[in-house]
């Protein structure tokens, strides 16, 4: 019995010694790193960059701390492990292939600038308030000359309370401290500047930029031509710290709702295809992937056409681990993260069709491009009405829509409210031209603000299926214009202006897109395709004028071609 007890004590001592040795082995590397850091004078920082970092494999980079590289700890890695049947299903663009470290954003942006071309390296550069890339000063003057043209200085009629989406009450004050927000007023970390007393006056100009954007919406436009809020909001989309992430319900593809430190929100569409990857000709329009760069380019195109009906969109490089997985409280989204066989962080979320390991979104190794579109006001504050597009496609592999088989279809539309009065039909023509220049065949519905009734503009939402093909022009998109033969004079004159060499559409787009952080957004074939499609639009209008007469096709909405006093609904 005594021998048995001694044997148990011996076993217990061996077990304790083994545990102690195991703990010491785990702590030894950390103690060595701290000692090395103290000797080198870096205060024990474990975030030093190795000179051979770019040549190191992903396995060696994982030895860094989670705080530095954004990787999960060893326990979380086991949870995230999964196997993808198609590890390369989400091809990354050339701008991401040059990024090898997740923690050095400044270096990644320098690399993206280099990939845009070395021809402009010797030119003087001018900064941009939107937080995007710097652009050559010579190019800036060319785009600014376009916006200084008389056609881009058309004034709105005087705005009444009924013409603004929100009527700001100057007696209401907005206090950041009271709302619990600690960040959007104090980007430089100066705590003294953030203190507000109850008696201090805080005007609408001190509101966060997303709120100022909402306040500026009126019957005729989402934002004014030269509003300083626009560039500030674009910068916020790129630089504001993300505080929470959730999946957006509905839709065939994954979209995320991101909330920022200043309580603004944006819709994130991650990159699914490279800029060079063209949609196969056998693909149906409803089976194509949405493109993040199409959302960005659509915003710039809408602004150059002077429609100003697309909410502000900016490109952003997002760390999938630190800025999505670690922030989301959506368990359904969190559970879809895994490490691919190529050692990249991937996730796929939940949606109707393209959410599976075969369609996973993978980073390089954990960074991914995406578009961030600023949210419109909450529906509880500003209701929107959804309308079925009269020229909606059938979304069927064999059936055709009525407008595709009936040449007199537009005559029926003209007799149907709200197209029988006002300018709604002209808005449809503007949207048709906008979609044709992008190659977007997926315009099944559109929205308007309910407060303005039928006398307001169409909001150009969801443009992700544009810029899929540059070698093909889908002429069926122009059917509404060729059937109805109606167009605003202001739109017609701007299209003619953008067809001239001095204001060539592709050049204006290329220059405007340089301001985005993910530039280049479009490859040259897509830019040239827009010039080609613009000529086709003008040819269709010329045919209508020859058949119907100029007065019956081009509707006058300008006075003296440079000024206007538009009634409700005119743009």
């Amino acid at each position: 019995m005594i021998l048995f007890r001694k044997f148990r004590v011996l076993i217990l001592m061996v077990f304790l010694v083994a545990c102690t040795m195991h703990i010491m082995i785990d702590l030894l590397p950390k103690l060595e790193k701290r000692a090395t850091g103290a000797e080198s004078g870096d205060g024990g920082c474990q975030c030093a960059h190795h000179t051979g970092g770019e040549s190191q494999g992903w396995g060696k980079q994982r030895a860094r701390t989670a705080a530095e590289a954004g990787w999960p700890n060893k326990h979380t890695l086991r949870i995230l492990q999964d196997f993808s049947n198609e590890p390369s299903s989400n091809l990354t663009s050339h701008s991401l292939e040059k990024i090898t470290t997740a923690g050095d954003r400044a270096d990644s942006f320098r690399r993206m600038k280099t990939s845009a071309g070395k021809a402009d390296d010797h030119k003087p550069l001018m900064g941009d308030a939107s937080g995007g890339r710097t652009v050559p000063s010579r190019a800036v003057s060319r785009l600014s000359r376009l916006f200084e043209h008389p056609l881009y200085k058309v004034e709105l009629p005087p705005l009444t309370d009924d013409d603004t989406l929100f009527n700001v009450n100057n007696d209401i004050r907005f206090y950041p401290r009271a709302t619990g927000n600690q960040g959007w007023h104090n980007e430089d970390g100066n705590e003294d500047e953030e203190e507000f007393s109850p008696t201090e006056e805080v005007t609408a100009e001190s509101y966060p930029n997303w709120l100022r954007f909402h306040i500026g919406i009126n019957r005729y436009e989402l934002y004014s031509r030269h509003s300083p809020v626009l560039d500030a909001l674009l910068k916020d989309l790129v630089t504001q710290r993300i505080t929470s992430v959730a999946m957006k319900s509905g839709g065939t593809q994954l979209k995320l709702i991101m909330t920022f430190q200043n309580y603004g929100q944006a819709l994130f569409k991650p990159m699914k295809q490279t800029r060079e990857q063209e949609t196969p000709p056998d693909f149906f329009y409803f089976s194509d992937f949405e493109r993040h760069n199409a959302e960005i380019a659509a915003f710039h195109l809408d602004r150059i056409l002077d429609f100003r009906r697309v909410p502000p969109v900016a490109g952003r490089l997002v760390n999938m681990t630190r800025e999505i997985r670690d922030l989301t409280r959506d368990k359904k989204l969190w559970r879809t993260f895994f490490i691919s066989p190529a050692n990249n962080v991937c996730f796929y979320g939940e949606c109707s069709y393209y959410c599976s390991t075969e369609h996973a979104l993978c980073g390089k190794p954990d960074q991914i491009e995406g578009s961030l579109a600023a949210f419109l006001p909450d529906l509880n504050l500003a209701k929107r009405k959804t309308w079925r597009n009269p020229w909606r496609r059938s979304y069927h592999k064999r059936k055709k829509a009525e407008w595709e088989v009936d040449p007199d279809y537009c005559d029926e539309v003209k007799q149907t409210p709200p197209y029988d009065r006002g300018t709604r039909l002209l808005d449809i023509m503007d949207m048709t031209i906008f979609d044709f220049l992008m190659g977007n065949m997926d315009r099944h519905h559109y929205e308007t603000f309910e407060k303005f009734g039928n006398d307001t503009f169409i909001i150009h939402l969801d443009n992700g299926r544009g810029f899929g093909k540059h070698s093909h022009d889908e002429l069926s998109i122009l059917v509404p214009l060729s059937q109805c033969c109606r167009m605003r004079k202001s739109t017609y004159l701007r299209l003619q202006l953008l067809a001239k060499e001095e204001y060539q559409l592709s050049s204006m787009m290329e220059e405007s897109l340089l301001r985005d952080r993910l530039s280049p957004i479009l490859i040259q074939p897509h830019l040239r395709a827009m010039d080609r499609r613009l000529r086709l639009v003008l040819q269709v209008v010329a045919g209508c004028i020859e058949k119907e007469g100029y007065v019956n096709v081009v509707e006058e909405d300008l006075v003296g071609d440079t000024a206007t006093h538009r009634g409700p609904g005119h743009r």
Side-chain angles (χ1 to χ4, degrees):
M1 189 69 180
I2 296 176
L3 291 176
F4 179 73
R5 289 179 179 176
K6 290 183 178 180
F7 181 72
R8 285 197 304 178
V9 171
L10 181 63
I11 292 176
L12 181 61
M13 291 179 64
V14 171
F15 177 75
L16 291 175
V17 170
C19 290
T20 304
M21 291 180 63
H22 183 73
I23 293 173
M24 291 297 296
I25 291 172
D26 282 346
L27 292 178
L28 186 59
K30 297 182 179 180
L31 294 174
E32 289 178 351
K33 287 185 179 180
R34 288 187 180 181
T36 304
E39 292 175 2
S40 60
D42 61 357
C45 178
Q46 302 177 18
C47 56
H49 295 282
H50 300 285
T51 55
E54 294 189 3
S55 61
Q56 290 179 347
W58 180 86
K60 293 182 180 180
Q61 292 182 16
R62 277 179 54 189
R64 301 179 183 180
T65 63
E68 173 205 356
W71 289 99
N73 58 41
K74 60 182 180 180
H75 303 292
T76 311
L77 280 173
R78 297 194 187 100
I79 299 174
L80 294 181
Q81 284 294 336
D82 199 347
F83 294 94
S84 173
N85 296 329
E86 191 177 350
S88 61
S89 59
N90 176 46
L91 300 175
T92 54
S93 75
H94 56 280
S95 61
L96 280 179
E97 289 171 355
K98 298 184 178 182
I99 301 173
T100 56
T101 57
D104 194 355
R105 284 201 172 191
D107 182 62
S108 68
F109 293 142
R110 284 198 299 272
R111 294 173 184 273
M112 283 191 287
K113 291 178 183 180
T114 304
S115 67
K118 298 182 179 180
D120 295 332
D121 289 349
H122 64 282
K123 299 177 182 178
L125 298 179
M126 181 178 295
D128 177 56
S130 64
R133 292 184 50 188
T134 53
V135 296
S137 58
R138 179 179 59 82
V140 169
S141 63
R142 191 172 183 182
L143 185 62
S144 62
R145 282 202 305 269
L146 175 70
F147 291 139
E148 289 299 320
H149 192 278
L151 286 171
Y152 288 81
K153 289 191 171 182
V154 178
E155 295 182 0
L156 297 177
L159 298 177
T160 65
D161 289 346
D162 292 335
D163 295 327
T164 56
L165 190 61
F166 296 111
N167 300 325
V168 181
N169 187 347
N170 293 327
D171 294 332
I172 297 177
R173 297 290 179 257
F174 190 71
Y175 299 104
R177 284 287 188 189
T179 59
N181 181 10
Q182 305 296 319
W184 58 261
H185 237 295
N186 187 18
E187 296 181 355
D188 297 329
N190 189 346
E191 292 294 335
D192 295 335
E193 294 180 1
E194 199 179 27
E195 296 292 346
F196 291 94
S197 65
T199 59
E200 184 174 357
E201 183 175 340
V202 182
T203 62
E205 283 73 20
S206 64
Y207 289 177
N209 293 312
W210 62 266
L211 183 56
R212 295 173 65 192
F213 163 60
H214 291 174
I215 292 173
I217 299 174
N218 59 63
R219 183 185 298 274
Y220 310 105
E221 58 191 5
L222 278 178
Y223 55 88
S224 61
R225 289 187 184 91
H226 306 291
S227 171
V229 176
L230 183 65
D231 284 342
L233 179 58
L234 291 174
K235 183 178 181 181
D236 283 352
L237 293 174
V238 176
T239 60
Q240 274 284 322
R241 181 170 62 85
I242 301 169
T243 58
S244 67
V245 179
M247 284 189 295
K248 184 180 183 301
S249 59
T252 60
Q253 301 182 38
L254 177 67
K255 304 177 187 68
L256 301 178
I257 298 175
M258 291 186 168
T259 304
F260 302 117
Q261 185 181 11
N262 66 353
Y263 299 106
Q265 289 186 313
L267 185 67
F268 180 76
K269 290 189 178 182
M271 183 181 72
K272 295 183 175 70
Q273 299 187 78
T274 64
R275 291 148 174 78
E276 299 81 6
Q277 190 170 353
E278 189 167 1
T279 302
D282 291 328
F283 269 38
F284 287 96
Y285 48 88
F286 49 80
S287 60
D288 193 13
F289 288 114
E290 294 185 6
R291 299 170 182 264
H292 74 297
N293 61 317
E295 292 285 356
I296 301 169
F299 163 70
H300 289 261
L301 176 61
D302 176 83
R303 190 180 185 187
I304 288 174
L305 294 174
D306 201 44
F307 294 155
R308 287 169 286 125
R309 304 169 191 174
V310 175
V313 184
R316 180 165 178 166
L317 200 61
V318 173
N319 186 295
M320 298 164 63
T321 305
R322 293 197 302 265
E323 297 182 305
I324 298 180
R325 185 186 67 85
D326 293 348
L327 296 179
T328 185
R329 296 183 180 179
D330 192 331
K331 292 184 178 180
K332 293 181 179 179
L333 173 62
W334 189 87
R335 288 169 182 168
T336 65
F337 276 81
F338 62 92
I339 306 298
S340 74
N343 286 329
N344 293 321
V345 176
C346 305
F347 73 102
Y348 52 86
E350 287 191 0
C351 59
S352 302
Y353 293 100
Y354 301 110
C355 288
S356 63
T357 52
E358 291 79 11
H359 301 98
L361 304 164
C362 298
K364 284 284 186 176
D366 64 348
Q367 297 213 11
I368 190 170
E369 289 184 12
S371 64
L372 277 167
F375 262 33
L376 292 174
D378 190 276
L379 292 175
N380 293 324
L381 301 175
K383 293 183 179 179
R384 300 195 299 270
K385 189 170 183 178
T386 302
W387 306 78
R388 182 187 177 96
N389 183 4
W391 281 270
R392 181 183 187 272
R393 296 178 183 272
S394 65
Y395 288 84
H396 194 278
K397 293 182 177 68
R398 292 177 296 275
K399 294 180 181 179
K400 289 188 176 183
E402 184 179 351
W403 59 267
E404 295 181 277
V405 296
D406 183 4
D408 299 323
Y409 178 78
C410 186
D411 293 333
E412 301 175 11
V413 173
K414 290 178 181 178
Q415 300 173 11
T416 306
Y419 309 101
D420 58 343
R421 57 169 296 275
T423 59
R424 181 62 60 84
L425 187 62
L426 297 175
D427 288 328
I428 293 290
M429 298 302 111
D430 286 346
M431 186 173 65
T432 296
I433 295 168
F434 175 66
D435 285 335
F436 179 69
L437 293 175
M438 293 191 301
N440 178 27
M441 303 171 65
D442 190 38
R443 190 71 65 184
H444 44 82
H445 290 84
Y446 63 87
E447 295 183 17
T448 59
F449 287 108
E450 190 173 287
K451 176 180 179 179
F452 304 134
N454 295 335
D455 297 323
T456 187
F457 61 92
I458 289 174
I459 308 172
H460 296 164
L461 296 173
D462 199 4
N463 306 298
R465 285 201 170 113
F467 299 102
K469 298 179 181 179
H470 55 72
S471 59
H472 175 71
D473 299 326
E474 184 53 61
L475 295 176
S476 63
I477 304 177
L478 277 181
V479 167
L481 181 61
S482 61
Q483 284 184 345
C484 297
C485 283
R486 294 282 301 280
M487 174 183 271
R488 282 190 175 92
K489 185 176 182 179
S490 59
T491 301
Y492 183 46
L493 293 180
R494 290 189 189 104
L495 293 179
Q496 289 181 318
L497 182 67
L498 293 169
K500 296 180 178 179
E501 184 66 26
E502 183 182 1
Y503 300 106
Q504 192 175 29
L505 177 59
S506 60
S507 299
M508 298 298 101
M509 280 290 293
E510 183 177 21
E511 179 186 328
S512 184
L513 291 172
L514 278 175
R515 299 167 180 259
D516 193 85
R517 187 65 66 88
L518 299 183
S519 176
I521 303 300
L522 296 178
I523 59 175
Q524 286 297 322
H526 280 300
L527 294 170
R528 292 194 296 268
M530 283 192 289
D531 289 333
R532 183 179 67 244
R533 291 166 184 164
L534 177 55
R535 291 193 294 269
L536 291 174
V537 172
L538 293 176
Q539 289 177 13
V540 170
V541 178
C544 286
I545 292 174
E546 184 178 355
K547 181 176 62 175
E548 304 283 347
Y550 183 89
V551 178
N552 296 322
V553 174
V554 180
E555 179 162 323
E556 179 68 63
D557 66 329
L558 300 174
V559 178
D561 290 351
T562 59
T564 185
H565 185 78
R566 294 170 289 184
H570 282 78
R571 277 282 304 105

